[in-house]
Short mmCIF file of all heavy atoms in Angstrom, two decimals:
data_model
loop_
_atom_site.label_atom_id
_atom_site.label_comp_id
_atom_site.label_asym_id
_atom_site.label_seq_id
_atom_site.Cartn_x
_atom_site.Cartn_y
_atom_site.Cartn_z
N ILE B 207 50.82 54.45 125.86
CA ILE B 207 51.56 53.60 124.87
C ILE B 207 52.98 53.27 125.41
O ILE B 207 53.47 52.16 125.28
CB ILE B 207 51.62 54.16 123.49
CG1 ILE B 207 50.16 54.33 122.95
CG2 ILE B 207 52.49 53.43 122.57
CD1 ILE B 207 49.53 52.99 122.68
N VAL B 208 53.66 54.27 125.91
CA VAL B 208 55.01 54.06 126.49
C VAL B 208 54.89 53.10 127.62
O VAL B 208 55.70 52.21 127.85
CB VAL B 208 55.63 55.37 126.89
CG1 VAL B 208 56.92 55.18 127.71
CG2 VAL B 208 56.03 56.15 125.68
N GLY B 209 53.80 53.23 128.40
CA GLY B 209 53.57 52.33 129.54
C GLY B 209 53.49 50.89 129.06
O GLY B 209 54.10 49.99 129.60
N ILE B 210 52.78 50.69 128.03
CA ILE B 210 52.62 49.38 127.41
C ILE B 210 53.99 48.83 126.92
O ILE B 210 54.23 47.62 127.04
CB ILE B 210 51.51 49.33 126.36
CG1 ILE B 210 50.12 49.57 126.96
CG2 ILE B 210 51.46 47.96 125.63
CD1 ILE B 210 49.00 49.80 126.06
N ASN B 211 54.75 49.69 126.28
CA ASN B 211 56.08 49.37 125.88
C ASN B 211 56.90 48.91 127.05
O ASN B 211 57.66 47.91 126.96
CB ASN B 211 56.74 50.49 125.25
CG ASN B 211 56.60 50.56 123.75
OD1 ASN B 211 57.46 50.02 123.02
ND2 ASN B 211 55.52 51.22 123.28
N LEU B 212 56.82 49.57 128.23
CA LEU B 212 57.58 49.21 129.34
C LEU B 212 57.05 47.95 130.01
O LEU B 212 57.82 47.15 130.52
CB LEU B 212 57.65 50.30 130.33
CG LEU B 212 58.36 51.58 129.87
CD1 LEU B 212 58.31 52.69 130.82
CD2 LEU B 212 59.80 51.25 129.61
N THR B 213 55.78 47.64 129.87
CA THR B 213 55.25 46.33 130.28
C THR B 213 55.92 45.26 129.47
O THR B 213 56.34 44.27 130.07
CB THR B 213 53.68 46.31 130.10
OG1 THR B 213 53.10 47.30 130.83
CG2 THR B 213 53.16 44.93 130.40
N GLU B 214 56.03 45.47 128.19
CA GLU B 214 56.65 44.48 127.27
C GLU B 214 58.14 44.30 127.71
O GLU B 214 58.63 43.18 127.76
CB GLU B 214 56.56 44.93 125.90
CG GLU B 214 56.81 43.85 124.80
CD GLU B 214 58.28 43.80 124.44
OE1 GLU B 214 58.98 44.80 124.54
OE2 GLU B 214 58.76 42.68 124.06
N MET B 215 58.75 45.39 128.08
CA MET B 215 60.19 45.31 128.45
C MET B 215 60.30 44.48 129.75
O MET B 215 61.18 43.57 129.81
CB MET B 215 60.77 46.73 128.70
CG MET B 215 62.24 46.76 128.79
SD MET B 215 62.91 48.44 129.12
CE MET B 215 62.48 49.30 127.72
N ALA B 216 59.44 44.82 130.73
CA ALA B 216 59.55 44.06 132.05
C ALA B 216 59.17 42.57 131.80
O ALA B 216 59.88 41.68 132.36
CB ALA B 216 58.58 44.67 133.00
N TYR B 217 58.20 42.36 130.93
CA TYR B 217 57.77 40.98 130.68
C TYR B 217 58.88 40.21 130.01
O TYR B 217 59.19 39.05 130.40
CB TYR B 217 56.51 41.05 129.78
CG TYR B 217 56.17 39.75 129.18
CD1 TYR B 217 55.53 38.72 129.78
CD2 TYR B 217 56.54 39.49 127.77
CE1 TYR B 217 55.22 37.48 129.21
CE2 TYR B 217 56.20 38.25 127.21
CZ TYR B 217 55.58 37.28 127.88
OH TYR B 217 55.27 36.08 127.26
N SER B 218 59.59 40.78 129.02
CA SER B 218 60.58 40.10 128.32
C SER B 218 61.80 39.77 129.22
O SER B 218 62.45 38.72 129.19
CB SER B 218 61.08 40.79 127.10
OG SER B 218 61.84 41.87 127.39
N MET B 219 62.10 40.63 130.17
CA MET B 219 63.21 40.42 131.13
C MET B 219 62.81 39.37 132.17
O MET B 219 63.63 38.60 132.66
CB MET B 219 63.58 41.70 131.81
CG MET B 219 64.29 42.67 130.89
SD MET B 219 65.21 43.96 131.64
CE MET B 219 63.88 45.17 131.93
N LEU B 220 61.54 39.29 132.47
CA LEU B 220 61.09 38.25 133.37
C LEU B 220 61.14 36.92 132.66
O LEU B 220 61.62 35.88 133.21
CB LEU B 220 59.65 38.53 133.82
CG LEU B 220 59.04 37.61 134.88
CD1 LEU B 220 59.65 37.90 136.24
CD2 LEU B 220 57.54 37.73 134.97
N LYS B 221 60.69 36.88 131.39
CA LYS B 221 60.61 35.62 130.66
C LYS B 221 62.04 35.08 130.40
O LYS B 221 62.30 33.84 130.51
CB LYS B 221 60.00 35.95 129.24
CG LYS B 221 59.80 34.67 128.41
CD LYS B 221 59.01 35.06 127.16
CE LYS B 221 58.80 33.86 126.32
NZ LYS B 221 58.06 34.15 125.12
N SER B 222 62.99 35.89 130.20
CA SER B 222 64.37 35.46 129.86
C SER B 222 65.17 35.13 131.14
O SER B 222 66.24 34.54 131.00
CB SER B 222 65.11 36.50 129.05
OG SER B 222 65.33 37.58 129.90
N GLY B 223 64.60 35.44 132.29
CA GLY B 223 65.30 35.17 133.54
C GLY B 223 66.27 36.23 133.90
O GLY B 223 66.89 36.20 134.99
N LEU B 224 66.39 37.30 133.12
CA LEU B 224 67.34 38.40 133.45
C LEU B 224 66.99 39.05 134.74
O LEU B 224 67.88 39.64 135.36
CB LEU B 224 67.26 39.43 132.29
CG LEU B 224 68.20 39.30 131.16
CD1 LEU B 224 67.88 40.24 130.05
CD2 LEU B 224 69.63 39.51 131.65
N LEU B 225 65.73 39.03 135.13
CA LEU B 225 65.27 39.74 136.42
C LEU B 225 65.61 38.92 137.64
O LEU B 225 65.23 39.34 138.75
CB LEU B 225 63.80 40.10 136.33
CG LEU B 225 63.49 41.43 135.55
CD1 LEU B 225 62.01 41.59 135.49
CD2 LEU B 225 64.11 42.56 136.30
N LYS B 226 66.15 37.69 137.47
CA LYS B 226 66.36 36.92 138.71
C LYS B 226 67.17 37.64 139.74
O LYS B 226 66.76 37.56 140.97
CB LYS B 226 67.09 35.57 138.34
CG LYS B 226 66.12 34.58 137.74
CD LYS B 226 66.84 33.26 137.38
CE LYS B 226 65.86 32.29 136.74
NZ LYS B 226 66.41 31.12 136.16
N PRO B 227 68.32 38.27 139.46
CA PRO B 227 68.97 38.97 140.57
C PRO B 227 68.07 39.95 141.33
O PRO B 227 68.10 39.93 142.61
CB PRO B 227 70.11 39.74 139.81
CG PRO B 227 70.30 39.04 138.55
CD PRO B 227 69.01 38.38 138.21
N HIS B 228 67.32 40.73 140.63
CA HIS B 228 66.41 41.64 141.27
C HIS B 228 65.41 40.98 142.27
O HIS B 228 65.39 41.32 143.40
CB HIS B 228 65.66 42.45 140.26
CG HIS B 228 64.50 43.30 140.80
ND1 HIS B 228 64.74 44.43 141.56
CD2 HIS B 228 63.20 43.19 140.76
CE1 HIS B 228 63.60 44.94 141.90
NE2 HIS B 228 62.67 44.17 141.48
N PHE B 229 64.74 39.94 141.76
CA PHE B 229 63.80 39.35 142.64
C PHE B 229 64.39 38.52 143.75
O PHE B 229 63.89 38.42 144.84
CB PHE B 229 62.89 38.42 141.77
CG PHE B 229 61.79 39.18 141.00
CD1 PHE B 229 61.89 39.48 139.64
CD2 PHE B 229 60.68 39.67 141.76
CE1 PHE B 229 60.95 40.20 139.04
CE2 PHE B 229 59.72 40.46 141.02
CZ PHE B 229 59.87 40.68 139.74
N TYR B 230 65.52 37.82 143.39
CA TYR B 230 66.16 36.98 144.46
C TYR B 230 66.74 37.91 145.54
O TYR B 230 66.83 37.48 146.70
CB TYR B 230 67.29 36.12 143.84
CG TYR B 230 66.79 34.95 142.95
CD1 TYR B 230 67.64 34.27 142.14
CD2 TYR B 230 65.42 34.63 142.93
CE1 TYR B 230 67.25 33.26 141.34
CE2 TYR B 230 64.99 33.51 142.13
CZ TYR B 230 65.91 32.91 141.27
OH TYR B 230 65.47 31.88 140.47
N ASN B 231 67.15 39.09 145.19
CA ASN B 231 67.68 39.99 146.24
C ASN B 231 66.49 40.68 147.00
O ASN B 231 66.71 41.04 148.15
CB ASN B 231 68.55 41.04 145.59
CG ASN B 231 70.01 40.50 145.27
OD1 ASN B 231 70.56 39.67 145.99
ND2 ASN B 231 70.48 41.01 144.14
N LEU B 232 65.46 40.90 146.29
CA LEU B 232 64.33 41.69 146.90
C LEU B 232 63.45 40.90 147.83
O LEU B 232 63.10 41.37 148.98
CB LEU B 232 63.43 42.22 145.72
CG LEU B 232 62.35 43.15 146.16
CD1 LEU B 232 62.88 44.55 146.56
CD2 LEU B 232 61.31 43.38 144.99
N VAL B 233 63.10 39.70 147.47
CA VAL B 233 62.14 38.88 148.19
C VAL B 233 62.78 37.62 148.74
O VAL B 233 63.15 36.76 147.95
CB VAL B 233 60.96 38.51 147.28
CG1 VAL B 233 59.79 37.92 148.19
CG2 VAL B 233 60.48 39.73 146.55
N SER B 234 62.81 37.45 150.07
CA SER B 234 63.42 36.20 150.54
C SER B 234 62.26 35.22 150.79
O SER B 234 62.04 34.73 151.88
CB SER B 234 64.20 36.42 151.80
OG SER B 234 63.54 37.31 152.67
N GLY B 235 61.62 34.92 149.66
CA GLY B 235 60.50 33.96 149.73
C GLY B 235 59.86 33.97 148.33
O GLY B 235 60.58 34.23 147.36
N VAL B 236 58.52 33.70 148.24
CA VAL B 236 57.94 33.65 147.00
C VAL B 236 57.56 35.04 146.47
O VAL B 236 56.84 35.82 147.06
CB VAL B 236 56.66 32.82 147.06
CG1 VAL B 236 55.88 32.75 145.70
CG2 VAL B 236 56.92 31.39 147.58
N PRO B 237 58.13 35.45 145.25
CA PRO B 237 57.76 36.82 144.78
C PRO B 237 56.30 36.82 144.31
O PRO B 237 55.77 35.85 143.76
CB PRO B 237 58.75 36.96 143.57
CG PRO B 237 59.11 35.59 143.15
CD PRO B 237 59.00 34.73 144.41
N GLN B 238 55.68 37.96 144.56
CA GLN B 238 54.21 38.06 144.18
C GLN B 238 54.08 38.99 142.99
O GLN B 238 55.01 39.76 142.56
CB GLN B 238 53.45 38.73 145.36
CG GLN B 238 53.63 37.93 146.70
CD GLN B 238 53.05 36.51 146.61
OE1 GLN B 238 52.06 36.28 145.87
NE2 GLN B 238 53.71 35.54 147.34
N LEU B 239 52.88 39.02 142.47
CA LEU B 239 52.56 39.84 141.30
C LEU B 239 52.82 41.32 141.59
O LEU B 239 53.36 42.03 140.70
CB LEU B 239 51.04 39.66 140.93
CG LEU B 239 50.66 39.89 139.50
CD1 LEU B 239 51.62 39.10 138.53
CD2 LEU B 239 49.22 39.35 139.24
N HIS B 240 52.50 41.77 142.82
CA HIS B 240 52.74 43.16 143.02
C HIS B 240 54.22 43.54 143.08
O HIS B 240 54.55 44.64 142.77
CB HIS B 240 52.06 43.62 144.39
CG HIS B 240 52.75 43.10 145.60
ND1 HIS B 240 53.84 43.77 146.18
CD2 HIS B 240 52.51 42.04 146.34
CE1 HIS B 240 54.22 43.10 147.24
NE2 HIS B 240 53.43 42.04 147.39
N HIS B 241 55.11 42.59 143.20
CA HIS B 241 56.56 42.87 143.01
C HIS B 241 56.85 43.14 141.59
O HIS B 241 57.75 44.03 141.29
CB HIS B 241 57.46 41.67 143.54
CG HIS B 241 57.39 41.49 145.03
ND1 HIS B 241 56.90 40.29 145.57
CD2 HIS B 241 57.67 42.34 146.09
CE1 HIS B 241 56.93 40.39 146.89
NE2 HIS B 241 57.41 41.59 147.27
N PHE B 242 56.20 42.44 140.70
CA PHE B 242 56.42 42.71 139.29
C PHE B 242 55.81 44.12 138.99
O PHE B 242 56.50 44.91 138.22
CB PHE B 242 55.62 41.66 138.47
CG PHE B 242 55.79 41.84 136.96
CD1 PHE B 242 56.96 41.56 136.20
CD2 PHE B 242 54.75 42.38 136.23
CE1 PHE B 242 57.07 41.74 134.94
CE2 PHE B 242 54.84 42.63 134.86
CZ PHE B 242 56.01 42.33 134.23
N HIS B 243 54.67 44.40 139.49
CA HIS B 243 54.04 45.74 139.22
C HIS B 243 54.98 46.86 139.77
O HIS B 243 55.08 47.93 139.09
CB HIS B 243 52.72 45.88 139.94
CG HIS B 243 51.67 45.01 139.34
ND1 HIS B 243 51.56 44.73 138.01
CD2 HIS B 243 50.65 44.34 140.01
CE1 HIS B 243 50.54 43.94 137.83
NE2 HIS B 243 49.97 43.64 138.94
N GLN B 244 55.73 46.60 140.86
CA GLN B 244 56.53 47.63 141.41
C GLN B 244 57.75 47.76 140.56
O GLN B 244 58.25 48.95 140.39
CB GLN B 244 56.98 47.21 142.87
CG GLN B 244 55.81 47.25 143.77
CD GLN B 244 56.18 47.56 145.26
OE1 GLN B 244 57.21 46.97 145.72
NE2 GLN B 244 55.46 48.42 145.85
N PHE B 245 58.30 46.69 139.94
CA PHE B 245 59.38 46.90 139.08
C PHE B 245 58.97 47.71 137.86
O PHE B 245 59.70 48.62 137.36
CB PHE B 245 59.91 45.51 138.58
CG PHE B 245 60.96 45.62 137.53
CD1 PHE B 245 62.18 46.16 137.78
CD2 PHE B 245 60.71 45.17 136.23
CE1 PHE B 245 63.19 46.29 136.80
CE2 PHE B 245 61.74 45.24 135.22
CZ PHE B 245 62.93 45.81 135.57
N TYR B 246 57.75 47.49 137.39
CA TYR B 246 57.17 48.31 136.33
C TYR B 246 57.10 49.83 136.67
O TYR B 246 57.51 50.66 135.85
CB TYR B 246 55.79 47.79 135.96
CG TYR B 246 54.98 48.71 135.10
CD1 TYR B 246 55.16 48.64 133.71
CD2 TYR B 246 54.06 49.69 135.55
CE1 TYR B 246 54.42 49.48 132.92
CE2 TYR B 246 53.32 50.50 134.76
CZ TYR B 246 53.54 50.41 133.40
OH TYR B 246 52.81 51.28 132.63
N CYS B 247 56.72 50.11 137.81
CA CYS B 247 56.67 51.51 138.34
C CYS B 247 58.06 52.09 138.30
O CYS B 247 58.21 53.27 137.91
CB CYS B 247 56.13 51.55 139.79
SG CYS B 247 54.37 50.97 139.89
N TYR B 248 59.03 51.29 138.69
CA TYR B 248 60.44 51.74 138.67
C TYR B 248 60.79 52.14 137.19
O TYR B 248 61.35 53.26 136.94
CB TYR B 248 61.38 50.64 139.15
CG TYR B 248 62.84 50.95 138.89
CD1 TYR B 248 63.57 51.67 139.84
CD2 TYR B 248 63.48 50.46 137.77
CE1 TYR B 248 64.90 51.92 139.61
CE2 TYR B 248 64.80 50.78 137.57
CZ TYR B 248 65.55 51.50 138.48
OH TYR B 248 66.86 51.75 138.31
N LEU B 249 60.45 51.23 136.27
CA LEU B 249 60.73 51.48 134.81
C LEU B 249 60.11 52.83 134.31
O LEU B 249 60.67 53.63 133.64
CB LEU B 249 60.27 50.33 133.96
CG LEU B 249 61.12 49.06 134.05
CD1 LEU B 249 60.57 48.01 133.10
CD2 LEU B 249 62.57 49.29 133.75
N MET B 250 58.76 52.92 134.69
CA MET B 250 58.01 54.20 134.24
C MET B 250 58.70 55.44 134.70
O MET B 250 58.93 56.34 133.98
CB MET B 250 56.59 54.16 134.77
CG MET B 250 55.65 53.23 134.11
SD MET B 250 55.33 53.87 132.46
CE MET B 250 53.86 54.83 132.68
#
Side-chain angles (χ1 to χ4, degrees):
Chain B
I207 294 296
V208 167
I210 293 169
N211 266 268
L212 294 175
T213 297
E214 196 270 333
M215 195 184 292
Y217 166 79
S218 74
M219 288 195 279
L220 185 71
K221 184 174 180 180
S222 65
L224 269 171
L225 274 176
K226 279 181 184 173
H228 169 71
F229 281 102
Y230 290 168
N231 283 323
L232 184 73
V233 189
S234 43
V236 179
Q238 305 296 328
L239 207 49
H240 70 85
H241 293 120
F242 179 78
H243 293 322
Q244 295 208 313
F245 174 66
Y246 167 82
C247 296
Y248 171 86
L249 289 181
M250 281 292 269

